[in-house]
């Protein structure tokens, strides 16, 4: 029986023997593709080739690509765990031809691998081809059908014709596309899972588990025009994809992908942790929980290893949803404490041979998952209680719909993603009012979103072949002569005519350039491009495939295609170079001080400062910070040479050069080394990194180094911001001005300032303590006043609405009184107002958890009533505070608060 490792390696070796280059899997985070949250197919990393934006480095390629499908068009989330074959994370085995071989070879090799090498019974295999679409001018794919019969010997009746939905592949609304041919396997009548559906007949593409797609062969031969018509491409491509999990289940004779050696080690470990057995039943809620957790853990492990950390937006929020969904299924297995992080090592052992980054970054993955589990665990049980009440109200209403306000409250207050609420609702035979939820979410986003991201110059360039730019001059100097090839604007790429000042923003394309295009954390250069009749100001530089785009606008005159121009980078480049080399020194120093746990997560290198994100589980101590800075400064003082070498990527890895996992590298890479003396080999350098950026010639040019901030970015990821050169000088001058001001204010010399401030702070603490003590001895009877307000409070159901003004007193006493009120009332919404002076008002709002669950939030109330007294404030859903300047309006503000609360609770 084949193991999954053997199936993967056999696939790759099979195609290598047939002239294919093995191309390592790209990250699950698409590099340079803003249209995708996650890599969802093997072809993603070759998209630029299909679009004609770059030439292929090889005529044939093969790999096993890490894929995540959990959002957008390809979204399998709801099916995961409920059937035997859907996953959020999976591996796509694939082979590609870039205008080399076509249908005959693709069909022959797929059949040979499945039947001869893997030993699948040919009698169980069925194939499908495109039936054509006369309206679009796409004919039936008789060629593929005939090849299946001729090459594979498949009976004609097992070659089916299907429509565009099943057998025509498209990258998007426009661009490369073509018919596809799928290979399906008949697993036998006992595998049908739709016997309960009236009139169901088992067949290919009928939706039941008896017929499963194993492999899809895509024949890219057309280009979809904006008007929907098809034109033949000048080049033809093969793009195939076979799911490793499905093929493994077939070859290991398992009825479920989850029963294979890709999942069972994880499932067994879950069983050991929870004490629940796994029985591989589809109708078992417990077994579904096993499958969901095992699948979601793989997605989490690979995405975090590739740089995604759970957050509140983008792909980070997708991963947060995945984790919280898995955590909730953990409750089904009686797992009430963080447990998934304990399973990461199992995933690393299972997948680490094929994907070394999972093993190397296991510590980071564990840290991130444990922190997220603990965070959500603090609100999960309370949220489940709130959902239970919301579900009971939905059932009592007779409509069976959980109201959108309840769903939004679960999301906003308890961190329940909408799909998790929908899942729990379905389990009780209920639905969720998604329309209202979306409306509330839209209102929240409108309040929070201040600006939209700009549109990339790549927009609207699908199918456009951009010329390659020779940008090697960026390493040689700050000026270069060049020729204008064209420009990009809102209408696309122009190669004729001229552009002038009124044209607005454009992207100028030259045949050569000394400008550095934004990449690898280094910002793109700015500067000036001067022609015989005009001047173009470059505000930023980016790269689309091999074409460098100088983004900016004409400042004077005109720039015409064919002009001979002079390109000059501005002086900011020199500061950027200092910061970039300092970033390499910083990474080396961090690893020297903290060890191999430090792995780069990202960076930003610009003229003003450098920022470096790295993996480490806790904040650096002051001693560690000093050690890091000392090491960097020592290397700067030594004025060590900085050297570069271009070499094959395998050779670079062999000499230990560090690579950033989120970057996409070619077959040859540039390695920057620090410490190779004279013309010595780069292997002698103490710092060696893959890097295409610009650097100083020697570390002495950096001029100085200081860390100005060290902070947390997310669980397990730290961030350092540092300064060099001119930025550091400006920073130190400002610090010097602060010291001068303090010496004048405190009447003390610089060396005594720290002691003087420390004494002042100690004196202040003592005064505050004395004031509190005095207030408690002879001040206002806050407890008595608030107790009377509770006695008079109106009740809506079990909830007390406590609203009123109290006499001035320390805010700490008011908070103590509020805590006492909440304990006595058990369910309450409390609003207290204090008029400390005619021009000073304090408002305090407190709400118990159950009332928060009904949509009443302290922060919302205080934001609504504070403007009445001429103030503002905010806080958490349970507690919020505001100040104001008009005590005469206090009664009006309190009345408004009571009205808002009653309106929500009634």
């Amino acid at each position: 029986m084949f193991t999954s490792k053997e199936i993967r390696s056999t696939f790759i070796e099979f195609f290598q023997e047939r002239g294919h280059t093995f191309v390592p899997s790209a990250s699950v985070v698409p590099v340079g593709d803003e249209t995708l949250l996650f890599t969802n197919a093997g072809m993603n990393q070759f998209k630029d080739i299909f679009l004609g934006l770059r030439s292929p480095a090889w005529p044939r390629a093969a790999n096993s690509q890490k894929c995540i499908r959990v959002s957008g068009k390809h979204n399998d989330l709801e099916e995961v765990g409920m059937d035997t074959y859907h996953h959020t994370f999976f591996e796509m085995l694939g082979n590609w031809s870039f205008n080399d071989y076509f249908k005959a070879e693709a069909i022959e090799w797929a059949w040979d691998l499945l039947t001869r090498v893997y030993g699948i019974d040919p009698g169980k295999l069925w194939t499908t081809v495109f039936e054509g679409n006369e309206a679009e001018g796409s004919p039936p794919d008789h060629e593929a059908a005939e090849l299946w019969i001729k090459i594979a010997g498949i009976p004609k009746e097992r070659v089916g014709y299907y429509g565009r939905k099943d057998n025509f592949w498209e990258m998007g609304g426009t661009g490369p596309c073509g018919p596809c041919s799928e290979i399906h396997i008949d697993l036998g009548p006992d595998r049908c899972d739709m016997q309960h559906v009236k009139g169901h007949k088992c067949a290919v593409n009928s939706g039941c588990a008896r017929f499963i797609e194993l492999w899809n062969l895509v024949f890219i031969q057309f280009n979809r025009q904006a008007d929907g018509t098809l034109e033949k491409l000048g080049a033809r491509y093969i793009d195939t994809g076979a799911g490793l999990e499905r093929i493994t289940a077939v070859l290991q004779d398992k009825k479920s992908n989850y029963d294979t050696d890709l999942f069972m080690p994880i499932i067994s470990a879950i069983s050991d942790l929870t004490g629940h057995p796994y029985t591989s039943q589809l109708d078992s809620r417990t077994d579904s929980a096993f499958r969901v957790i095992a699948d979601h853990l793989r997605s989490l492990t690979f995405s975090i290893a590739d740089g995604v950390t759970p957050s509140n937006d983008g792909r980070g929020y997708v991963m947060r949803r995945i984790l919280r969904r898995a955590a909730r299924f953990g409750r089904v297995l009686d797992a009430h404490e963080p447990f998934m992080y304990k399973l990461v090592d199992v995933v690393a052992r299972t997948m680490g041979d094929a994907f070394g980054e999972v093993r190397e970054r296991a510590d980071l993955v564990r840290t991130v998952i444990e922190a997220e589990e603990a965070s959500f665990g603090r609100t999960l049980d309370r949220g489940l209680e709130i959902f239970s009440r919301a579900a009971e109200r939905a059932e009592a209403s007779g409509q069976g719909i959980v109201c959108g306000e309840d769903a939004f409250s679960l999301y906003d207050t308890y961190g329940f993603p909408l799909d998790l609420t929908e899942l729990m609702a379905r389990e009780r035979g209920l639905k969720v009012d998604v329309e209202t939820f979306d409306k509330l979410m839209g209102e929240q986003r409108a309040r929070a979103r201040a600006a939209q991201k700009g549109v990339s110059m790549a927009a609207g360039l699908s199918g456009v072949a951009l010329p390659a730019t020779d940008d090697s001059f960026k390493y040689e100097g700050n000026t270069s002569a060049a020729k204008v090839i064209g420009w990009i604007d809102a209408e696309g790429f122009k190669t004729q005519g001229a552009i002038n000042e009124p044209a607005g923003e454009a992207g100028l394309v030259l045949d050569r350039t000394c400008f550095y295009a934004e990449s690898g954390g280094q910002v793109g250069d700015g500067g000036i491009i001067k022609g015989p009749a005009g001047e173009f100001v470059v505000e930023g530089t980016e790269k689309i495939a091999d074409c460098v785009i100088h983004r900016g606008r004409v400042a004077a005159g005109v720039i015409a295609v064919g002009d001979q121009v002079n390109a000059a980078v501005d002086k900011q480049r020199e500061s950027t170079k200092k910061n970039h080399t300092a970033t390499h020194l910083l990474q080396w120093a961090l690893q020297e001080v903290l060890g191999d746990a430090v792995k780069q997560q990202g960076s930003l290198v610009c003229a003003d400062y450098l920022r470096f994100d790295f993996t480490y589980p806790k904040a650096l101590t002051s001693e560690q910070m000093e050690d890091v800075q000392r090491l960097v400064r020592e290397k700067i003082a030594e004025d060590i040479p900085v050297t570069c070498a271009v070499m094959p990527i395998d050779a670079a890895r062999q000499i230990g050069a560090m690579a950033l996992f989120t970057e996409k590298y070619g077959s040859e890479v540039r390695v920057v080394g620090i410490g190779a003396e004279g013309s010595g080999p780069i292997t002698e350098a103490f710092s060696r990194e893959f890097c295409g950026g610009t650097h100083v010639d020697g570390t002495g040019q950096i001029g100085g180094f200081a860390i100005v901030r060290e902070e947390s970015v997310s669980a397990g990821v730290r961030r350092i911001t540092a300064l060099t050169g001119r930025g550091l000088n400006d920073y130190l001058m400002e610090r010097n001005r602060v010291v001068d001001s303090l010496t004048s204010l405190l009447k003390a010399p610089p060396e005594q300032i720290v002691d003087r401030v420390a004494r002042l702070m100690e004196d202040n603490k003592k005064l505050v303590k004395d004031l509190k003590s005095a207030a408690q001895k002879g001040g206002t009877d806050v407890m008595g006043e608030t107790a009377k307000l509770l006695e008079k409070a109106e009740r809506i159901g079990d909830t007390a609405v406590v609203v009123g003004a109290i006499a001035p007193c320390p805010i700490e006493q008011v908070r103590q009184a509020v805590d006492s009120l909440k304990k006595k009332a058990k369910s309450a919404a409390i609003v207290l107002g204090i008029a400390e002076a005619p021009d000073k008002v304090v408002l305090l709002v407190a709400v118990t958890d159950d009332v928060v669950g009904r949509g009443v939030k302290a922060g919302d109330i205080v934001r609504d009533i504070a403007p009445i007294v001429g103030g503002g404030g905010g806080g958490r859903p349970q507690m919020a505070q505001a100040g104001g300047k008009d005590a005469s309006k206090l009664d009006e503000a309190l009345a408004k608060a009571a009205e808002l609360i009653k309106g929500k609770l009634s």
Side-chain angles (χ1 to χ4, degrees), residues 622-697:
S622 57
E623 291 81 7
Q624 289 171 330
M625 294 270 282
E626 282 300 319
D627 287 344
V628 169
Q629 291 182 102
R630 175 181 52 78
L631 287 173
V632 174
R633 289 168 182 161
E634 286 175 356
K635 295 303 181 185
I636 292 173
E638 291 174 26
D639 193 16
I640 300 168
V642 178
T643 56
C644 305
V646 177
M647 61 183 70
I649 190 168
D650 289 339
R653 289 192 173 109
Q654 286 172 9
I655 66 170
M658 291 184 290
L660 182 58
F661 63 93
T662 55
E663 284 295 307
K664 186 161 54 177
Y665 300 102
S667 57
E668 285 196 330
V669 295
R670 181 171 181 263
V671 176
V672 173
I674 305 175
E677 291 295 335
S679 58
I682 203 165
T683 52
E684 294 178 0
F686 63 82
S687 167
R688 298 181 297 274
E689 294 190 35
F690 288 33
C691 184
T694 57
H695 290 267
V696 296
D697 296 324

Side-chain angles (χ1 to χ4, degrees), residues 226-247:
D227 62 4
T229 59
L230 297 173
E231 70 172 11
K232 281 199 172 183
L233 286 171
R236 302 184 304 177
Y237 305 105
I238 290 293
D239 165 24
T240 86
L244 174 65
E245 290 76 11
R246 293 186 181 188
I247 289 180

Side-chain angles (χ1 to χ4, degrees), residues 12 21 28 38 120-121 136 172 226 327 341 444 489 609 613 629 636 655 728 752 831 845:
I12 292 167
T21 298
V28 296
F38 295 99
I120 295 175
D121 181 357
E136 295 181 347
Y341 77 95
Q444 184 189 71
D489 58 20
Y609 62 91
D613 296 349
Q629 291 182 102
I636 292 173
I655 66 170
L728 176 57
Q752 293 181 11
V831 184
V845 183

Side-chain angles (χ1 to χ4, degrees), residues 323 327 331 337-339 341 368-380:
L323 188 144
R331 293 297 194 267
E337 298 295 329
F339 71 100
Y341 77 95
V368 172
I369 291 179
E370 182 180 14
E372 275 291 308
E373 284 190 274
S375 174
F376 187 47
R378 288 191 285 270
T379 60
L380 176 55

Side-chain angles (χ1 to χ4, degrees), residues 182-306:
E182 297 176 340
I183 305 172
H184 295 250
I185 186 168
D186 181 357
L187 298 172
D190 61 319
R191 298 291 292 276
C192 176
D193 57 356
M194 297 184 68
Q195 296 96 333
H196 60 286
V197 178
K198 187 177 181 181
H200 172 73
K201 183 179 180 182
C202 291
V204 170
N205 291 331
S206 67
C208 76
R210 173 177 172 178
F211 288 88
I212 296 291
E213 176 196 335
L214 288 182
W215 204 339
N216 188 14
L217 316 180
V218 181
F219 313 128
I220 302 175
Q221 60 192 95
F222 298 110
N223 188 44
R224 175 79 65 186
Q225 302 297 302
D227 62 4
T229 59
L230 297 173
E231 70 172 11
K232 281 199 172 183
L233 286 171
R236 302 184 304 177
Y237 305 105
I238 290 293
D239 165 24
T240 86
L244 174 65
E245 290 76 11
R246 293 186 181 188
I247 289 180
T248 301
V250 170
L251 296 184
Q252 293 183 0
D253 195 25
K254 302 295 184 182
K255 292 186 176 182
S256 167
N257 294 358
Y258 293 95
D259 294 342
T260 68
D261 63 355
L262 288 166
F263 288 92
M264 282 310 297
I266 306 171
I267 288 173
S268 296
I270 296 171
S271 180
D272 291 341
L273 277 176
T274 64
H276 284 266
Y278 178 67
T279 61
S280 194
Q281 300 300 308
L282 282 180
D283 57 356
S284 164
R285 187 164 178 255
T286 300
D287 284 354
S288 292
F290 272 96
R291 290 188 288 267
V292 169
I293 294 167
D295 170 88
H296 289 7
L297 180 67
R298 294 192 343 147
S299 278
L300 289 164
T301 300
F302 275 89
S303 61
I304 294 168
D306 276 358

Side-chain angles (χ1 to χ4, degrees), residues 305-349:
D306 276 358
V308 180
T309 50
S311 64
N312 285 329
D313 56 17
R315 55 179 64 94
Y317 183 60
V318 174
M319 282 302 111
R320 178 162 280 169
R321 285 168 50 207
I322 288 284
L323 188 144
R324 293 183 173 186
R325 195 170 187 267
R328 187 264 169 177
F329 273 99
R331 293 297 194 267
V332 175
L333 302 177
D334 299 316
H336 291 273
E337 298 295 329
F339 71 100
M340 282 183 287
Y341 77 95
K342 299 176 183 178
L343 303 166
V344 170
D345 285 345
V346 183
V347 180
R349 285 196 299 271

Side-chain angles (χ1 to χ4, degrees), residues 582 585-594 610 614 620-638 702-710 720-724 728 731-732 735:
L585 288 175
L586 174 60
Q587 177 164 213
W588 165 79
L590 284 167
Q591 292 178 337
E592 288 290 302
V593 174
L594 306 178
L610 67 91
F614 60 98
L620 275 66
T621 65
S622 57
E623 291 81 7
Q624 289 171 330
M625 294 270 282
E626 282 300 319
D627 287 344
V628 169
Q629 291 182 102
R630 175 181 52 78
L631 287 173
V632 174
R633 289 168 182 161
E634 286 175 356
K635 295 303 181 185
I636 292 173
E638 291 174 26
I702 296 171
F705 176 85
I707 294 174
V708 295
R709 187 179 301 115
E710 192 275 341
I720 280 178
T721 303
L723 301 174
T724 70
L728 176 57
Y731 173 79
L732 293 176
R735 283 294 181 95

